[in-house]
Amino acid sequence: MTIETLPALRPARAPWNKGRIIGQKLPLLPKHVWSICVRLELADNRRDLALFNMAVDSKLRGCDLVGLRVNDVYAAGHVKERASVTQSKTRKPVRFEITETTRLALERWIKDPEMIGSEYLWPSRVHASPHLSTRQHARIMRDWVLSIGLEPSAYGTHSMRRTKVAQIYKKTGNLRAVQLLLGHTKMDSTVRYLGVDLEDALTLSEGIEL
C-alpha cells in the first residue's frame, strides 16, 4: 500500500508589508511643517524643535543628520548661516542653508544644560551611543507625524529630506538646483527621487507662453 505525499503544513504568517504603505515616503506639506513646529514650541521641546527644523533645512539623509557635530553648524558663538558636511553615502561634501528660524532653535538647544560638554549636536540619552541613532530618529519622526494626525506608514525620516526640495521643484521646476541641494551625482537620481513624470513636464510647459 502506497502512502501519498502530503504537502507540508506551514503556519500562516501575515505578509511583512500588511497594513504598510511601501515605496517612496511622502514629503511633508508646508501646513504639516507649521503644525509640528507649533506643537514642539508649545511643549518647549528644544531638542526636537531644533532637530525638526534642521532636518527640513539641511535636506540630509538621516545617518548624516544624526551624526552632525556642534562645530559643523556653530562657530565663534553663533550658528552659521550656511554649513557643509561630507555625506557618508557618497563621501562628497554638500552645502546647505540654515534659515533664521532654525538658527534661533539651534542656539536655544546648544545653550541648553543637556548640551554641556557634548561634541555631537544630538547627543543620545543611551550611554552606549554618542549621538542619536537612525532608529531613534525614526521613532521621533513617527511621533511628530502622529501628533498631527497623519498616517505614520506614509512618512519616514526620508520625508524630511524631500520636504523642502519638493516645494522648490514645485515652485521653480529647477531640477539642477534640487540635484545640487541633495548632493546627487546624477540627474537621473534626482528625477527618480522627485518622481518627475510627463505630467509634471506638461504642467511646466503649459505655464510658459511665447
Side-chain angles (χ1 to χ4, degrees):
M1 183 176 177
T2 59
I3 299 175
E4 294 183 2
T5 303
L6 299 175
L9 295 177
R10 294 177 181 172
R13 293 169 58 184
W16 68 270
N17 59 351
K18 183 178 180 180
R20 300 182 185 180
I21 299 175
I22 59 175
Q24 280 194 336
K25 299 301 183 181
L26 298 174
L28 295 174
L29 299 177
K31 64 180 181 180
H32 299 151
V33 173
W34 180 84
S35 295
I36 291 173
C37 283
V38 167
R39 281 166 172 75
L40 294 175
E41 286 178 355
L42 290 175
D44 195 28
N45 191 333
R46 297 184 180 187
R47 185 200 66 176
D48 279 19
L49 181 60
L51 178 61
F52 179 79
N53 284 338
M54 192 65 180
V56 172
D57 270 1
S58 69
K59 302 164 286 289
L60 291 172
R61 295 178 181 87
C63 56
D64 294 324
L65 178 68
V66 297
L68 284 173
R69 298 171 186 265
V70 174
N71 59 16
D72 287 330
V73 300
Y74 193 78
H78 297 285
V79 176
K80 302 174 184 178
E81 293 186 5
R82 292 183 179 179
S84 176
V85 298
T86 300
Q87 301 173 95
S88 58
K89 182 177 180 179
T90 63
R91 308 311 305 168
K92 293 186 177 181
V94 63
R95 296 191 71 195
F96 55 88
E97 76 288 357
I98 305 177
T99 59
E100 183 178 359
T101 300
T102 303
R103 292 198 302 270
L104 291 172
L106 282 171
E107 284 182 3
R108 287 183 65 205
W109 169 234
I110 289 171
K111 293 174 182 177
D112 191 276
E114 284 190 51
M115 283 293 290
I116 293 176
S118 176
E119 176 186 357
Y120 289 94
L121 196 54
W122 322 112
S124 175
R125 290 161 185 167
V126 178
H127 295 297
S129 176
H131 58 73
L132 281 180
S133 67
T134 52
R135 187 181 294 270
Q136 288 172 312
H137 180 215
R139 284 198 294 264
I140 293 169
M141 172 70 194
R142 180 182 173 86
D143 290 341
W144 292 338
V145 169
L146 282 170
S147 72
I148 58 172
L150 295 178
E151 169 53 52
S153 63
Y155 300 86
T157 54
H158 232 57
S159 296
M160 308 304 300
R161 179 163 161 79
R162 299 184 67 205
T163 291
K164 200 165 190 176
V165 293
Q167 291 300 314
I168 291 171
Y169 177 71
K170 181 179 179 180
K171 293 179 180 180
T172 68
N174 192 332
L175 275 174
R176 175 59 178 162
V178 172
Q179 179 191 10
L180 292 171
L181 291 169
L182 291 173
H184 285 163
T185 55
K186 296 180 180 179
M187 184 65 77
D188 286 350
S189 299
T190 307
V191 171
R192 288 195 302 272
Y193 193 82
L194 289 176
V196 178
D197 55 20
L198 179 59
E199 199 62 37
D200 294 314
L202 289 172
T203 300
L204 290 173
S205 183
E206 288 169 354
I208 305 297
E209 293 185 7
L210 298 177

